[in-house]
Amino acid sequence: MTDSDVTTSMFERIGGSATIERLVDRFYDRMDTLPEAKVIRAMHADDLGLIRDVLKRYLTEWTGGPRLYTPEKGHPRLRQRHFGFAIGDAERDAWMLCMRGAMEETVTDAAARQDLDRAISGLAAWMRNRP
């Protein structure tokens, strides 16, 4: 990691809004089509349009971009918002499979992609609410 990586937000490092847009779209495209993702796809509404927008807003803010999520939704309270869904290792792994594939396709800076993967992996692990 360089000094500029410390002062540059992840949002900027990965390419800003355009990358977040592509990342989330590819994530949900993968969730919609990969057989390994059926377990998490079943947790979502048939129409993924609204949740795509929510994740784009959340990831924009979470990576250090403009505050697009909290002014509308308040504190993320991710575990509380997901408590109604059984999230164990299989669900975490399916979610990460979709996200890692999307990151590979959209985040061109390898170091930024690795740092983002590490951060998102921690978040995904924290979301588990059953053994």
Side-chain angles (χ1 to χ4, degrees):
M1 187 179 282
T2 67
D3 289 341
S4 65
D5 291 341
V6 175
T7 59
T8 304
S9 71
M10 179 60 67
F11 180 77
E12 294 170 301
R13 290 180 63 206
I14 66 172
S17 296
T19 299
I20 295 285
E21 287 274 333
R22 289 191 314 273
L23 173 68
V24 171
D25 286 340
R26 289 304 302 136
F27 169 78
Y28 282 112
D29 292 347
R30 294 174 69 79
M31 182 191 292
D32 226 7
T33 59
L34 292 177
E36 302 92 336
K38 284 182 181 181
V39 66
I40 58 171
R41 180 58 180 96
M43 296 176 179
H44 292 77
D46 289 343
D47 181 357
L48 295 171
L50 180 61
I51 198 66
R52 282 179 193 254
D53 184 58
V54 170
L55 186 57
K56 287 173 184 177
R57 290 171 182 272
Y58 175 76
L59 287 179
T60 295
E61 188 169 324
W62 186 73
T63 58
R67 288 176 38 96
L68 301 177
Y69 183 88
T70 55
E72 179 184 324
K73 298 278 191 185
H75 188 281
R77 300 183 328 260
L78 290 181
R79 287 194 70 167
Q80 182 180 350
R81 290 181 194 268
H82 290 80
F83 193 73
F85 303 100
I87 302 172
D89 290 346
E91 293 77 14
R92 177 212 49 210
D93 293 348
W95 196 92
M96 284 304 304
L97 176 71
C98 295
M99 185 54 75
R100 284 190 173 124
M103 286 189 294
E104 282 289 326
E105 292 180 36
T106 60
V107 180
T108 57
D109 181 302
R113 186 173 57 247
Q114 183 178 16
D115 291 344
L116 182 60
D117 183 276
R118 188 172 21 260
I120 286 180
S121 294
L123 183 61
W126 180 74
M127 292 298 294
R128 288 177 298 174
N129 58 25
R130 72 176 174 99

